[in-house]
Amino acid sequence: MSVVDGPLPVVVWTIAGACFLYLLVRERSAAWALGVVVLLIVGAILGAGGLWLAVNVLGVVSGPIDDAAWWWVSAASAAILVALWNLWGTRWWRKLIAVLAIPMYVLAAMLGINAAYGLSPTLGSMLHVSTADELDPPDPAEEAPPADPAEPLWQTWAAPAGMPEHGETGEVEGGIPNTVSGFDARPAQIYLPPAALVDDAPRLPLVIMMMGQPGDPDVRFLADVLDRFAAQHDGLAPIGLVIDQLGDPYADPLCLDTDLGKVETYVTQDVVPWARAQLDVLQGPTYWTVAGFSNGGGCAAYFGAKYPETFGNLAAISPTEYPGVEHPDETRHEVFGGSFLAFEAVQPANVMAAKAPYADSVGIFTVGAGDPGFIGGTTRLADAATAAGIVTTLEIIPGADHDVEALDGGLEIAFDVLYPRLGLEEPPATDQQEDG
C-alpha cells in the first residue's frame, strides 16, 4: 500500500483538513478569532521548538531534518492546540471530534513528512516490515570461478531471445550467514538484472549497498536505477546486494567492530566471502562497488577507503562524513574510551590519507543542493579521495534534499561513471582516439 502517492495519504489529509476547519470555526466573534490566531502561533512555536529540542539537544532524532518536517510538525502542533481548546465549554459531539482529530493530525504529519523524504514508499517500509518475497540467486556456473575475462561484457554479450525485460528482486533465500561476526543483521535483499536470468548467464559486476538510518535493507531504489540502465544496455547491469549495517532501524553501530556490534567483520568476513561463493559475479576489485546513502554512504566511504583490494569503486551518496558525526563527543567517549586517536583513525578521510596512494580506485560522491548539513562533509570526503589518488567525481544534485531525489540522482550519477569501468558500456573516446 503506497503511503506516498496512493489514496491513503489523500484520505487522511482530507479528513484532517475537514476536522481542522470544523474545530477552527467555533464561534463568530472577534474574541474567538483572536484566540484562534494566538493558539495557532503558540502551537506552531511549540511544535518547532519541540522538534529542535529533539534533534539538537536530546538527540532523539538523528540525521538531517527536511524543511517539510518543520512545516508539518508546526502545523500539526498548532492544529492539536486548537483541538484541545475545543474540549472546554463545547457540546459533546465537538469534544468527540476534537479527540478523534488529534491522532488524525499526528498521522497526517507522519504521512506528509514521509512523503517529503520519499524513502519509505509503502506502509510496510514505513513500519519497517519487509514484504519482499525470498529469491534464490542462481548458483555460480563453476565452484571456483576462472579468471575474469579480458574482454569487457559490452563487446562479448548478445542478449538472447526471450530475455526478461526487467530484473528480479527479493530477500536472499536463507539469508547471509553471520558465522564469523555474530552480527544480528536483518535479511539482505538482492537484485538480479535481466542478463542474470537467462541460461548461460554471464558473470556480472557486484554492488553491495547500505541504506540510511533509520532504514531497512531495501533494494527497490537500487533495482529501479539498475533496471533503467539494463534497459539501455541489452539487459546488462551489476547484481545488487543491499545489506543491513544497522541490525535495528533505530540503531547505529557505526559500521565498525565495537561493543555495538561487529559490523565491519560482518561486511568483510561474512558478506564478501558469501557473495564470492554464492553469486555468479566477476571477482576483481575493478568490478566490485560498495555504495550507500546517508549513514550507508558513510559506511561505503569507509569500506571503499580501507579495503581497495576488495572494493575498487565506492559510491557515497549524501554520506555521513565519519562514524558518529551527529554526536562526536558522545561517540568518542562511549565507543572509543575518550581516545581522539582511535576516533580519528576510523574517519574515512584519515583512512584515505593513511593508505594513499591508491593504485586503481574510483570514488563517486554526491549530495543534494538543498542539503546544507551534508554538503560540507561530502565535499571534504571527495577532496580527501582526490588527494589520496582515488579517481574522484563530486556532484551536487540540483533540487535534491536529503531525500529520494538525492538517492536516485546519486545512483544515476554513480553508474554513469561506473558503467564503462565495469565493462558494461563502451568507454567514451579519448581526445587521442578521436584525433587518430
Side-chain angles (χ1 to χ4, degrees):
M1 179 183 294
S2 174
V3 292
V4 174
D5 54 9
L8 178 62
V10 175
V11 170
V12 171
W13 294 332
T14 300
I15 295 174
C19 291
F20 176 71
L21 291 175
Y22 176 76
L23 297 174
L24 195 66
V25 186
R26 173 177 166 179
E27 302 173 12
R28 294 184 178 180
S29 67
W32 173 251
L34 179 61
V36 164
V37 171
V38 172
L39 288 171
L40 293 175
I41 293 174
V42 171
I45 292 173
L46 289 174
L51 181 58
W52 182 90
L53 187 68
V55 173
N56 296 292
V57 178
L58 301 178
V60 175
V61 180
S62 62
I65 302 299
D66 193 286
D67 289 346
W70 295 99
W71 289 106
W72 276 108
V73 170
S74 299
S77 179
I80 289 171
L81 201 57
V82 172
L84 292 173
W85 193 252
N86 274 270
L87 296 177
W88 282 272
T90 59
R91 305 284 185 132
W92 67 268
W93 60 81
R94 181 173 282 269
K95 288 184 174 66
L96 178 61
I97 291 174
V99 170
L100 295 176
I102 292 173
M104 191 60 64
Y105 296 152
V106 174
L107 181 58
M110 290 173 59
L111 291 173
I113 294 169
N114 182 72
Y117 284 97
L119 297 169
S120 298
T122 66
L123 184 61
S125 58
M126 190 174 177
L127 298 175
H128 303 292
V129 176
S130 174
T131 57
D133 295 329
E134 284 195 333
L135 178 62
D136 186 16
D139 292 330
E142 303 179 41
E143 289 187 8
D148 293 336
E151 300 82 8
L153 277 169
W154 69 266
Q155 283 186 334
T156 61
W157 165 255
M163 183 183 69
E165 291 186 11
H166 302 284
E168 292 185 0
T169 63
E171 281 188 2
V172 174
E173 187 174 27
I176 298 176
N178 61 350
T179 310
V180 180
S181 67
F183 180 66
D184 190 17
R186 292 167 293 171
Q189 294 192 10
I190 193 168
Y191 164 78
L192 298 176
L197 303 176
V198 301
D199 293 335
D200 297 321
R203 287 188 294 143
L204 294 166
L206 177 68
V207 178
I208 295 177
M209 183 170 177
M210 293 155 283
M211 293 295 290
Q213 186 267 336
D216 309 297
D218 189 341
V219 77
R220 79 187 77 197
F221 303 101
L222 178 63
D224 286 347
V225 172
L226 289 180
D227 239 17
R228 293 197 291 270
F229 275 86
Q232 300 167 12
H233 297 84
D234 296 324
L236 289 175
I239 291 174
L241 186 65
V242 179
I243 63 171
D244 179 30
Q245 83 280 14
L246 302 175
D248 180 276
Y250 299 101
D252 181 13
L254 307 177
C255 270
L256 304 172
D257 284 350
T258 70
D259 292 341
L260 302 175
K262 293 188 175 182
V263 182
E264 186 169 350
T265 296
Y266 172 68
V267 173
T268 59
Q269 298 184 43
D270 286 326
V271 173
V272 167
W274 178 89
R276 290 195 186 281
Q278 300 299 322
L279 301 179
D280 204 7
V281 294
L282 298 164
Q283 300 290 307
T286 299
Y287 304 106
W288 280 52
T289 302
V290 60
F293 172 70
S294 192
N295 179 283
C299 296
Y302 175 72
F303 289 123
K306 189 170 181 180
Y307 300 99
E309 67 281 0
T310 300
F311 303 108
N313 316 301
L314 71 91
I317 301 166
S318 305
T320 51
E321 186 177 0
Y322 54 84
V325 65
E326 299 91 349
H327 309 285
D329 291 338
E330 179 181 332
T331 301
R332 178 170 55 83
H333 284 288
E334 294 185 359
V335 179
F336 298 94
S339 169
F340 283 97
L341 290 177
F343 184 38
E344 292 175 354
V346 298
Q347 296 179 15
N350 295 332
V351 175
M352 293 175 191
K355 292 187 74 75
Y358 287 77
D360 183 27
S361 289
V362 170
I364 300 99
F365 301 85
T366 68
V367 66
D371 191 8
F374 276 63
I375 290 176
T378 304
T379 303
R380 285 188 289 272
L381 284 173
D383 290 344
T386 301
I390 296 174
V391 179
T392 304
T393 298
L394 171 64
E395 291 282 349
I396 311 297
I397 303 172
D401 203 320
H402 202 81
D403 53 16
V404 69
E405 291 185 25
L407 174 56
D408 285 346
L411 288 172
E412 290 274 359
I413 291 166
F415 290 112
D416 272 336
V417 173
L418 290 175
Y419 249 62
R421 176 172 168 84
L422 299 176
L424 305 179
E425 174 183 291
E426 183 177 5
T430 63
D431 292 341
Q432 185 174 1
Q433 289 173 323
E434 290 174 351
D435 292 342

